[in-house]
Amino acid sequence: MAKVIVKTRAKSEQESLRCLAPQILEELNVKALEFAEPDANLAGQSCYCTMEDGGCVVAVPTEIPAELIEEGIARELTHRIQSMRKEAGSRSPTTS
């Protein structure tokens, strides 16, 4: 995912999340963590899927950028090549 947008109740909550940004990015496997203004209406935008809990709103883009599609294809190709290498290495040569 390219990014996750978070809307909190207070700026202090945003600052706490900013301190945890590296862990959040890694856990969610996203490239960026953005914060919306308190008056932003994330739920009204069709290009995001939103969820609210405890006064915090999280919005995830529903469209995948071309850059991430290409990155996914490269990862899949790498995974398949590594699997083929592993399989080839585990096969013992046949003797006649």
Side-chain angles (χ1 to χ4, degrees):
M1 243 183 299
K3 66 181 175 181
V4 171
I5 301 172
V6 178
K7 182 174 90 170
T8 59
R9 293 173 292 196
K11 288 283 184 186
S12 60
E13 291 175 331
Q14 282 187 12
E15 292 308 314
S16 295
L17 290 174
R18 283 185 206 282
C19 292
L20 297 171
Q23 293 91 340
I24 294 169
L25 294 173
E26 184 176 342
E27 280 295 316
L28 297 178
N29 193 23
V30 295
K31 304 282 183 194
L33 178 64
E34 294 181 8
F35 293 95
E37 294 299 319
D39 60 345
N41 182 13
L42 299 175
Q45 298 183 18
S46 63
C47 57
Y48 292 101
C49 178
T50 60
M51 179 64 118
E52 182 175 0
D53 187 23
C56 182
V57 179
V58 176
V60 178
T62 56
E63 296 177 8
I64 302 172
E67 176 184 304
L68 287 182
I69 292 172
E70 291 169 1
E71 185 178 314
I73 291 169
R75 283 185 185 181
E76 181 62 25
L77 180 60
T78 301
H79 173 72
R80 288 183 186 200
I81 290 170
Q82 294 293 7
S83 294
M84 291 168 59
R85 284 181 175 169
K86 182 178 178 182
E87 186 179 317
S90 65
R91 283 192 236 148
S92 57
T94 58
T95 57
S96 10

